[in-house]
Amino acid sequence: MAIIVLNFKTYRESTGIEALRLAEICEDISREYSVQMVVVPQVADIHAISSAVNIPVYAQHVDGVGFGGFTGHVTAASLKAAGAAGSLINHSERRLKLAEIEASITACRSFGLKTIVCTNNVATTRSAAALEPDFVAVEPPELIGSGIPVSKANPEVIRGSVAAVKDIAPKVAVLCGAGITHGEDLRSAIELGSEGVLLASGIIKAADPRKALEDLVSGVLK
Ligand code: G3P
């Protein structure tokens, strides 16, 4: 089953009450079609959303710090308590150092949270896979928000990432993202060997996000 991870970022259309509405639409899509939707709202919206929907809610970022004298951090413990099921780590818009990525993965593991480590090319996918997160999501930064799908503009980065992960840590699943919007984008992403996509603007900025999601999932319906 294809996995669709919708990053809400900090768009106005996916903040607060709008985030909740969008998550409910994603839940409907998950129920009506054979796809697994994961929603990734801002931290302050996680609890309200996880209490209202029955699809996994992930955070956009998590710090590898524990309980104690830290200020302004996002802990795995607080995410778990808020009802999150996982977190993105090292998103292109929230880059971390290698040691911090490892600490974030370790923190998530100790609270039973899934991890999606974002990468920007095959070389970083290789390093991320060695840390054995649940997923690696490869996204060339220059295509993010461009509407030009990575599956068309740079299929090699997907093929190369899939091959690298298979070699290093075959249990790690590969996602891809950047510019993914339509059914054909999702279909080619899957054909190139990824398990699903990580996307944002094509759905969140659409005039009708439900229709946009229906278009997207049409790419994997028999
Ligand atoms: O996290 C998803 C993202 O960075 C891709 O963004 O707007 O190109 O789908 P977008």
Side-chain angles (χ1 to χ4, degrees):
M1 189 186 291
I3 302 168
I4 298 172
V5 183
L6 185 60
N7 181 0
F8 287 16
K9 301 202 176 183
T10 59
Y11 289 121
R12 182 189 298 273
E13 295 85 346
S14 48
T15 294
I17 190 70
E18 302 301 332
L20 183 56
R21 288 207 185 103
L22 187 56
E24 285 168 348
I25 293 172
C26 292
E27 182 183 37
D28 290 348
I29 296 289
S30 212
R31 199 184 303 119
E32 289 164 28
Y33 303 92
S34 60
V35 291
Q36 170 67 70
M37 294 268 346
V38 174
V39 290
V40 190
Q42 292 165 58
V43 167
D45 292 325
I46 289 177
H47 186 257
I49 292 176
S50 69
S51 310
V53 299
N54 259 323
I55 51 175
V57 181
Y58 282 27
Q60 297 177 6
H61 165 77
V62 57
D63 292 295
V65 301
F67 298 114
F70 304 97
T71 299
H73 292 70
V74 178
T75 62
S78 69
L79 292 179
K80 184 74 181 179
S87 184
L88 300 183
I89 294 170
N90 193 47
H91 190 276
S92 186
E93 292 146 8
R94 193 68 173 84
R95 282 288 184 234
L96 298 174
K97 294 179 186 149
L98 189 59
E100 293 169 330
I101 296 172
E102 195 277 328
S104 295
I105 293 173
T106 302
C108 284
R109 262 193 213 124
S110 60
F111 285 91
L113 297 175
K114 300 272 188 199
T115 49
I116 301 178
V117 174
C118 300
T119 62
N120 58 320
N121 57 33
V122 178
T124 55
T125 294
R126 202 171 280 126
S127 307
L131 300 173
E132 301 195 355
D134 295 287
F135 300 89
V136 167
V138 62
E139 301 194 307
E142 67 280 9
L143 296 175
I144 292 179
S146 69
I148 302 168
V150 58
S151 45
K152 195 174 279 174
N154 193 351
E156 265 322 303
V157 79
I158 306 175
R159 271 197 213 102
S161 291
V162 170
V165 169
K166 207 170 167 196
D167 210 32
I168 291 168
K171 283 196 190 132
V172 176
V174 177
L175 305 175
C176 65
I180 300 287
T181 308
H182 301 293
E184 62 190 281
D185 309 338
L186 174 59
R187 185 170 45 244
S188 4
I190 301 286
E191 284 169 359
L192 289 162
S194 68
E195 309 265 334
V197 292
L198 171 60
L199 80 168
S201 55
I203 305 299
I204 292 165
K205 303 295 278 181
D208 184 340
R210 184 185 296 266
K211 274 211 172 69
L213 278 168
E214 284 170 349
D215 173 3
L216 181 74
V217 302
S218 72
V220 288
L221 301 182
K222 299 273 171 335

